[in-house]
Amino acid sequence: MILSANEAHVAQAAQALRDGQLLGLPTETVYGLAANATDDAAVAKIFLAKGRPSDHPLIVHVASVVQVPLFAAPVPDFAQKLMAAFWPGPLTLILPRKSCVAAASAGGQDSIGLRCPSHPVAQALLQACLPLGVLGVSAPSANRFGRVSPTTAAHVQSELGPELLILDGGDCEVGIESTIIDCTRGEPVLLRPGQITRAQVEAACGQAVRGKDAPQVVSGQAAPRASGTLESHYAPRAKVRLMTAQDITAKLKALGPHANNLGLWSAERPAADEGFGAGVLWRQQAATAEQAAHDLFSVLRELDARGVTQIWVQLPPDTPEWEGVRDRLQRAAA
Ligand code: TXA
Ligand code: MG
């Protein structure tokens, strides 16, 4: 059931969370499948609905930095700086978990992912939750495990069915999931690239950001698992191929009139004498990383829904601002 995000519906959604139910929640990145972070039975419903292994940790969403000490301690200096710089916004921090709280949500790990979303509906919901005793909201992306993240309320419904309560917050502005920085290794480590770039993180905390293969300094602790870091993820049904513009032109030309059931996401529409015909469904890839990130999952989902068997994607430039989009594309193609 999709509800417009007015005050009454936000209050209803907060009560549903307090009562142990699930909720489709808009955020600025992608839609989440939310439950009360400290209600283990409710959190178990998330894993079941997504078909996600229960040892894959979830991100806990909080209304503000005020709730951080309820879930995590100690919070290193550089993490405090990152919260001050980017919260509310599309940045998740992995912090040492307070041992007594949200164990199921954390997939049993002794760390916890925290994020304060900026989407006004997510903010309103998290604020409405506080007086009901819901101090944080666990929410993975609201898709079935391994599939494309949803960026509209309708996407969530098509993934998880008509029974689920979904707050409609419109089209997600960012379009790809939050940047994840692990703050449990004594220095910032990038686990998942997103709209907030490595350079921005470095500038805000004054420390170099390591890649996710950085050595573990916390003794006796396994490296955190991040499903968003599995090689194959964000996959539509159609086969995704990453190609250069030249490659696309050459291969289309070679196929000629035989090109069929082919989706194409590239910067420029191929000409008719380059093999572009009725069998090719073209969507324009935006020239800026921000706009392309916004479009990425909905384009993959739309081409998939139209029944193409292959999606050819022009590989964006290998520059820092495109890191998040390239990461999702590489996983979709894996
Ligand atoms: O933008 C986002 O982050 C969205 C919206 C809904 O907030 N959420 C999202 O959640 O992308 P999910 O579950 O699809 O991806 C969360 C990632 C996973 O790769 C998970 O393994 C990782 O965060 N993660 C969560 N807690 C962790 C922890 N304690 N240690 C390591 N990785 C963690
Ligand atoms: Mg996900």
Side-chain angles (χ1 to χ4, degrees):
M1 195 192 346
I2 298 179
L3 298 180
S4 59
N6 59 32
E7 211 175 309
H9 288 154
V10 167
Q12 181 187 340
Q15 273 154 25
L17 289 179
R18 180 203 54 199
D19 295 342
Q21 291 167 34
L22 299 185
L23 171 73
L25 175 69
T27 83
E28 69 277 24
T29 56
V30 301
Y31 275 71
L33 179 62
N36 179 357
T38 58
D39 180 342
D40 288 359
V43 166
K45 292 183 189 167
I46 294 181
F47 289 103
L48 196 69
K50 271 189 68 102
R52 173 161 162 155
S54 60
D55 61 349
H56 280 264
L58 307 176
I59 295 171
V60 175
H61 298 68
V62 291
S64 73
V65 291
V66 172
Q67 285 76 41
V68 169
L70 303 174
F71 295 95
V75 179
D77 240 27
F78 70 85
Q80 307 267 17
K81 287 184 185 152
L82 295 179
M83 290 177 205
F86 299 112
W87 279 14
L91 178 72
T92 296
L93 301 178
I94 309 297
L95 294 162
R97 179 171 63 88
K98 282 196 148 173
S99 60
C100 49
V101 73
S105 174
Q109 309 208 30
D110 46 17
S111 59
I112 190 159
L114 295 181
R115 164 160 130 76
C116 174
S118 63
H119 193 293
V121 175
Q123 271 293 325
L125 187 270
L126 290 166
Q127 292 292 347
C129 278
L130 290 175
L132 304 180
V134 177
L135 305 176
V137 168
S138 300
S141 51
N143 51 279
R144 309 249 331 141
F145 186 61
R147 308 221 63 97
V148 177
S149 297
T151 56
T152 68
H155 293 167
V156 179
Q157 190 161 63
S158 78
E159 286 283 323
L160 298 166
E163 306 279 281
L164 178 69
L165 193 66
I166 303 165
L167 279 179
D168 191 350
D171 210 19
C172 299
E173 209 177 299
V174 176
I176 58 173
E177 304 82 351
S178 59
T179 304
I180 303 182
I181 301 289
D182 186 356
C183 303
T184 66
R185 306 193 208 181
E187 59 183 350
V189 175
L190 179 68
L191 294 186
R192 182 174 72 183
Q195 188 194 55
I196 293 174
T197 63
R198 188 192 292 258
Q200 284 176 293
V201 171
E202 290 181 339
C205 70
Q207 265 177 269
V209 172
R210 307 282 300 266
K212 60 176 175 261
D213 300 323
Q216 196 77 24
V217 294
V218 184
S219 62
Q221 196 188 328
R225 266 173 303 242
S227 68
T229 65
L230 293 179
E231 200 188 345
S232 167
H233 216 69
Y234 313 110
R237 281 174 196 84
K239 191 171 165 40
V240 176
R241 289 179 63 181
L242 303 183
M243 300 157 81
T244 63
Q246 294 84 327
D247 241 15
I248 290 173
T249 309
K251 294 226 159 64
L252 260 188
K253 232 174 181 160
L255 276 178
H258 303 295
N260 227 328
N261 288 328
L262 178 63
L264 177 61
W265 194 42
S266 63
E268 278 173 57
R269 179 202 288 267
D273 64 354
E274 290 173 340
F276 184 66
V280 185
L281 212 54
W282 176 74
R283 294 291 175 267
Q284 182 160 37
Q285 190 182 99
T288 66
E290 276 198 5
Q291 185 63 41
H294 170 274
D295 300 342
L296 170 63
F297 289 141
S298 65
V299 167
L300 291 181
R301 201 173 270 276
E302 192 232 345
L303 292 174
D304 224 15
R306 285 170 180 262
V308 301
T309 52
Q310 288 200 33
I311 303 174
W312 293 2
V313 176
Q314 183 180 336
L315 192 62
D318 191 4
T319 52
E321 72 273 19
W322 285 91
E323 195 179 357
V325 173
R326 286 172 60 96
D327 168 79
R328 302 311 188 277
L329 283 173
Q330 266 142 8
R331 285 176 221 288

